[in-house]
Amino acid sequence: MKLSARRFMMLTILLCMTILSIGCTVAQPDPGDVAVYQDRPYIFGHEGIRPDVLTEGRDVTWLSTTIIYVTTAPQTLHVPFQDLSSMDNILLDFDTSVQLRVVDAADTLKRFGPRWWENNALSPYNSIVRKAVKSEKMAQMMSDPVAAEKVDQEVTEQLRALIKASGIRVEVMAVNLGKAKPNDNVLAQMNNTAAEQQRNLTLVAATIAEQQRKLEQEAKADADNAYRNKMGLSPEQYLARQLAEIQAEACKTAAACYLVPQGTNIVAK
């Protein structure tokens, strides 16, 4: 049974559309991203990264073309550090952040690949941060905002120069080392020292208070002795007078009051 020319044409068109739909790649970048085309033709054509990228919308290309999405909006990379030595040889920890923006995604991928930061910038960045921290003392890094800002600016400028000299089309916007924190061992020693200092302060305060009470008691005793001499009383007479005054004061608020003459012994049953 022979196919008509029209039917044959329709089948041919349908077959071509099926082949095209199967052999296509769709590029559709999100806002803030671009789509970079990497061609790997099976037979004919040029292999490599295309210089033109898709910034928005939707595009259809061959199945042999790989779509790589690159963020060109400002982004932040977090790089932690442990046991960085300060000028006074105190080990500090940092959680640094690098804010940057990819300027030319196609050129960066073509020349340095998608892992350009890890392969070309991370190790030099580590060295830059270590040297910058070594130039300041622990107290300055932890509590002096002027010194911390100075170090941040120094690291930012050196990283910019490094990226520029490498030819990487990326803009370094800012570097922030964050708050310096002593590592666990140093922090434990600092806490122990602070606790010991607090104990010493407490002991000194208690000693001063005891000395003050002693001085007050001595002053009161001197005053009582001076009063006794002025009144011409013997020590026994002065004590009897003091006891009488205490009993009289107590009787003011008591329901019943019995005054015991001096020298009288009473046995309670």
Side-chain angles (χ1 to χ4, degrees):
M1 182 176 180
K2 296 183 179 179
L3 296 174
S4 63
R6 183 175 180 181
R7 189 175 181 184
F8 178 78
M9 182 63 69
M10 291 179 63
L11 290 174
T12 302
I13 294 174
L14 181 60
L15 179 61
C16 290
M17 292 179 63
T18 302
I19 294 174
L20 288 174
S21 63
I22 295 175
C24 293
T25 300
V26 177
Q28 189 172 1
D30 293 330
D33 293 351
V34 297
V36 180
Y37 299 92
Q38 184 177 23
D39 293 322
R40 292 179 177 175
Y42 300 132
I43 301 176
F44 303 106
H46 298 285
E47 182 175 350
I49 300 291
R50 299 184 196 176
D52 298 326
V53 300
L54 180 66
T55 58
E56 59 182 354
R58 188 169 183 268
D59 186 32
V60 179
T61 186
W62 298 107
L63 183 62
S64 60
T65 299
T66 300
I67 305 300
I68 304 174
Y69 295 102
V70 178
T71 299
T72 55
Q75 57 183 306
T76 301
L77 302 179
H78 290 277
V79 184
F81 287 88
Q82 292 184 335
D83 297 344
L84 295 188
S85 179
S86 62
M87 180 186 291
D88 45 358
N89 296 320
I90 304 297
L91 298 181
L92 302 173
D93 296 342
F94 294 86
D95 184 12
T96 71
S97 60
V98 181
Q99 188 177 20
L100 50 82
R101 183 176 68 88
V102 177
V103 176
D104 191 330
D107 182 74
T108 300
L109 288 182
K110 181 178 180 180
R111 299 173 58 192
F112 303 98
R115 294 178 58 82
W116 63 268
W117 170 259
E118 292 83 355
N119 296 335
N120 301 91
L122 181 57
S123 180
Y125 173 71
N126 290 344
S127 298
I128 291 172
V129 173
R130 289 182 184 278
K131 291 180 181 179
V133 173
K134 188 66 176 176
S135 66
E136 301 290 345
K137 294 183 178 180
M138 180 197 69
Q140 293 172 308
M141 294 300 304
M142 291 185 61
S143 58
D144 187 348
V146 176
E149 184 177 356
K150 171 178 170 290
V151 172
D152 288 347
Q153 187 61 35
E154 177 184 340
V155 174
T156 300
E157 293 175 356
Q158 291 189 34
L159 183 59
R160 282 175 181 165
L162 169 71
I163 295 295
K164 183 177 180 180
S166 301
I168 305 174
R169 300 293 301 281
V170 171
E171 176 190 3
V172 177
M173 305 174 70
V175 176
N176 190 319
L177 269 61
K179 186 176 181 179
K181 296 179 291 186
N183 71 1
D184 293 340
N185 292 333
V186 175
L187 186 60
Q189 294 175 10
M190 292 176 64
N191 290 336
N192 292 336
T193 300
E196 185 64 28
Q197 290 176 344
Q198 184 60 46
R199 283 193 293 269
N200 291 337
L201 290 175
T202 302
L203 180 61
V204 169
T207 302
I208 293 175
E210 188 65 28
Q211 292 175 345
Q212 183 64 31
R213 283 193 294 270
K214 180 180 179 182
L215 292 175
E216 291 175 356
Q217 292 172 355
E218 291 176 350
K220 185 176 184 303
D222 291 342
D224 290 343
N225 196 43
Y227 175 77
R228 180 183 65 79
N229 291 331
K230 182 179 180 181
M231 298 297 295
L233 300 175
S234 66
E236 292 77 11
Q237 291 173 328
Y238 179 76
L239 290 176
R241 180 184 176 88
Q242 291 290 94
L243 179 60
E245 291 179 354
I246 293 173
Q247 290 176 338
E249 187 67 26
C251 286
K252 291 181 181 180
T253 57
C257 184
Y258 302 93
L259 297 179
V260 180
Q262 182 71 17
T264 302
N265 295 325
I266 298 177
V267 178
K269 297 183 179 179

